[in-house]
Amino acid sequence: MNYFDLFELPVSLQVDDSHLAKKYFELQKKYHPDYFTHSTDEEQEDALEKSSAVNKALKILKDKESTIKYVLQLKGLLEEEEKYQLPPDFLMEVMELNEELSDDSAAAVHDFEREIYSGVKAIIENYNDATVTTADLLKVKEYYFKKKYLQRILDRLAD
């Protein structure tokens, strides 16, 4: 089940939160298991599956990184546990950041994050499923993996 179809949304890398919330409540009213207590076992099971799918879809579509991952998977450009080879120049910059970790490193990581986002900003913010190219999506995929890498550094800093 395509989560965008479920929520009656166009495929996008940025989801309209207000529509998402409104549609979520509609779907929960329609599929919540509490409304099926007097139904057959089969209907109850079906409602439980659909309610679970609605909850999972909401969780994914509310989170920007999860939405990017989901769209890349929909397009067949991302495997679940894919090992992506990041560019050597990026890895060198990250290595320098790692060597200089300090209390103010988080700001440097966030600056770096903004810098890599600038390369895909137009694709993400103006995404059109009908006109997006595979090359554009591959740029987004590289951004996704770079962002994950930087997030690991931020997580280490928070510890």
Side-chain angles (χ1 to χ4, degrees), residues 53-102:
V54 168
N55 288 330
K56 185 175 179 185
L58 178 71
K59 183 179 179 187
I60 288 171
L61 297 176
K62 278 181 69 169
D63 179 72
K64 289 181 188 334
E65 300 311 310
S66 296
T67 301
I68 289 172
K69 178 182 178 184
Y70 182 70
V71 170
L72 291 171
Q73 287 174 327
L74 275 179
K75 299 298 180 181
L77 296 173
L78 181 66
E79 302 291 324
E80 185 57 42
E81 294 297 321
E82 182 174 335
K83 302 290 185 218
Y84 186 80
Q85 186 65 43
L86 289 164
D89 58 330
F90 172 79
L91 295 173
M92 289 298 292
E93 286 185 68
V94 171
M95 189 173 76
E96 289 173 19
L97 273 174
N98 270 324
E99 289 174 358
E100 301 167 7
L101 286 181
S102 65

Side-chain angles (χ1 to χ4, degrees), residues 16-29:
D16 176 358
D17 287 338
S18 63
H19 178 84
L20 191 63
K22 179 181 173 205
K23 192 64 182 175
Y24 173 75
F25 289 114
E26 277 179 36
L27 291 168
Q28 280 300 356
K29 284 181 183 178

